[in-house]
Amino acid sequence: MNTDEIGSGIVAIQRKARFADTSTDEWGVRLRELITSQPGISQANVSNVRQVGTAAGGSNGTLLFDADYVVDGQRTDKKLVLRFLPVKGLFHRYDVKAQFDLQKALETSDVPVPKQLWLDQEGRYLQRPGYVMEQVRGGSTPMTWMTSGLIADATPADRRKMTTAFVHALATIHHVDWKAAGLQWLERRATGSRPIEREVNWYWDALIWSKSSVYTDRLEKVRQWLIANEPTDTDTVLCHGDANLGNYLFEGTEITAVVDWEMAFLGSPECDLAFLKCGDQILQSETPWPEGAISYDEMYVEYERFSGRKLKHMDYFEFFCNYRMAVINVLAMGHFPPEVLESFMPVLRRGPELCFKRAQELGIL
């Protein structure tokens, strides 16, 4: 199984777990009920309910659809997106209201996010907690961005512009005044007195919840080291949390939206900068670097130039991302059905292997 097949296969399995065989027709009925429940809205029609393309692989459920309805006496047509709580999720905790509120708060910032419309926090109409937002023009690349999709198909010159735009988007996210935006509630994401400690514990809570005991002892040693050695001289910023290229929509070489905020947290800028590299090491480690795309080191340099921030302790934050990826891969081992798990195990084992290799180099294991 090649890299592209593994990437698309992971997406397909995640979707099956999220949708639990609910038909698109049934989703259309639920969406119409949600829309017509909104004040001032009537005569709603929902059509063309469909799953997103193969580039999408987030942990929430996602559907695209078209809607027309009457609001304030005027009929309007919209292309919309539904995000909903998965029937079977990868993580221990999902909070659709938090995702909705965070993106709502970012609508007045320089971060390009879809406009949030309606929240069904309790699943009264959708039968699952979820929310609807406007669809943004643009497309996303698959996890295997080096070999397929928008960036792989672009010219070397455009690849450079697109990967540079990704770095600039990260800097824009990190520039958000999260206190002024009312995002202090992210400090309660998990226990801990410092940002990275809290995020380390969030993933630890997910691991304990999963009852995946095979890797627990070694990951506990990594957890303790990361908490004990958390740098104290870095900025605390809003982190996207899932800063892979597939979560950045492109129209041409420009980013039109940043999506999939369920892993957002308060951390250091370095966390997002290191995330792409750590993810690529798992899925695309043997893939030749695409001509024109800026390298990871070039991304760090460009980030410093564009943001005016000096990146620090990158070795620590890359190891922190190794830990996050290791936990995510272990969770996936219990998430995927047994009949297909064996095909994906070489990839899923790679996250813990890379984490433990670095831990051994540091004398932790």
Side-chain angles (χ1 to χ4, degrees):
M1 187 178 293
N2 63 34
T3 299
D4 288 338
E5 290 172 334
I6 290 171
S8 60
I10 289 172
V11 170
I13 292 167
Q14 287 177 324
R15 282 183 178 159
K16 184 175 181 180
R18 294 196 299 260
F19 286 93
D21 298 325
T22 303
S23 70
T24 54
D25 287 342
E26 174 59 28
W27 277 115
V29 172
R30 297 178 188 182
L31 286 163
R32 183 179 181 278
E33 292 178 353
L34 173 63
I35 295 170
T36 54
S37 74
Q38 305 305 311
I41 292 181
S42 62
Q43 301 178 39
N45 297 299
V46 171
S47 61
N48 198 21
V49 181
R50 61 205 185 278
Q51 296 183 5
V52 293
T54 56
S59 52
N60 274 4
T62 306
L63 287 170
L64 307 179
F65 66 99
D66 300 333
D68 65 89
Y69 49 88
V70 173
V71 57
D72 297 328
Q74 298 292 321
R75 182 159 291 279
T76 183
D77 297 281
K78 295 279 189 180
K79 293 186 178 299
L80 302 173
V81 180
L82 166 68
R83 295 276 284 177
F84 62 91
L85 191 73
V87 174
K88 180 182 178 183
L90 184 66
F91 295 116
H92 61 306
R93 188 181 306 145
Y94 289 89
D95 189 340
V96 296
K97 183 179 186 301
Q99 296 170 43
F100 182 89
D101 289 346
L102 190 152
Q103 292 175 90
K104 194 77 173 174
L106 292 178
E107 286 178 7
T108 57
S109 75
D110 292 330
V111 180
V113 292
K115 182 179 179 180
Q116 307 299 295
L117 296 181
W118 310 301
L119 172 67
D120 186 3
Q121 184 177 354
E122 304 300 328
R124 178 179 178 184
Y125 303 101
L126 296 172
Q127 299 182 36
R128 303 291 304 163
Y131 59 95
V132 173
M133 55 189 167
E134 291 187 353
Q135 192 177 146
V136 178
R137 290 185 305 176
S140 61
T141 186
M143 291 183 288
T144 52
W145 67 272
M146 296 185 189
T147 57
S148 60
L150 295 174
I151 297 176
D153 294 340
T155 66
D158 282 351
R159 283 192 205 114
R160 187 166 193 85
K161 291 177 182 176
M162 295 167 83
T163 48
T164 301
F166 166 73
V167 175
H168 293 178
L170 291 181
T172 302
I173 294 168
H174 301 159
H175 183 69
V176 169
D177 186 337
W178 55 270
K179 291 182 179 179
L183 299 177
Q184 293 91 332
W185 49 267
L186 282 169
E187 294 179 300
R188 301 189 295 273
R189 180 168 157 85
T191 59
S193 59
R194 292 193 50 79
I196 304 306
E197 178 185 6
R198 288 193 290 268
E199 199 60 14
V200 166
N201 284 335
W202 193 91
Y203 282 89
W204 182 252
D205 291 344
L207 185 65
I208 298 303
W209 163 83
S210 74
K211 296 182 171 60
S212 301
S213 60
V214 175
Y215 295 99
T216 303
D217 288 345
R218 283 179 289 175
L219 283 171
E220 167 65 0
K221 291 183 174 66
V222 173
R223 168 180 172 260
Q224 291 175 352
W225 187 93
L226 286 168
I227 292 172
N229 290 275
E230 178 176 351
T232 59
D233 60 344
T234 59
D235 297 333
T236 299
V237 302
L238 173 66
C239 291
H240 182 198
D242 197 1
N244 72 79
L245 283 161
N247 288 332
Y248 292 71
L249 303 188
F250 287 90
E251 188 172 39
T253 60
E254 301 296 321
I255 290 176
T256 56
V258 181
V259 298
D260 289 3
W261 289 88
E262 62 265 27
M263 292 166 64
F265 65 99
L266 297 178
S268 301
E270 293 82 359
C271 299
D272 278 343
L273 268 296
F275 192 79
L276 178 68
K277 178 179 180 179
C278 292
D280 287 344
Q281 286 175 331
I282 293 172
L283 196 56
Q284 304 185 101
S285 59
E286 304 300 323
T287 304
W289 191 257
E291 181 184 358
I294 61 174
S295 68
Y296 305 122
D297 287 342
E298 288 176 314
M299 289 183 186
Y300 299 165
V301 172
E302 178 59 21
Y303 180 90
E304 291 184 338
R305 185 200 68 79
F306 185 80
S307 69
R309 277 193 169 100
K310 181 70 175 176
L311 295 173
K312 305 173 184 177
H313 312 292
M314 285 305 301
D315 287 345
Y316 171 91
F317 287 106
E318 288 182 5
F319 186 39
F320 166 64
C321 286
N322 287 147
Y323 166 82
R324 292 177 66 204
M325 287 294 186
V327 173
I328 290 170
N329 281 185
V330 172
L331 295 178
M333 292 177 191
H335 184 64
F336 290 176
E339 62 269 20
V340 300
L341 184 59
E342 185 176 351
S343 299
F344 297 101
M345 282 303 288
V347 172
L348 298 179
R349 288 195 189 102
R350 185 153 174 77
E353 287 170 356
L354 288 170
C355 181
F356 297 149
K357 178 182 178 182
R358 181 58 180 151
Q360 289 169 345
E361 293 170 353
L362 291 169
I364 300 167
L365 298 179

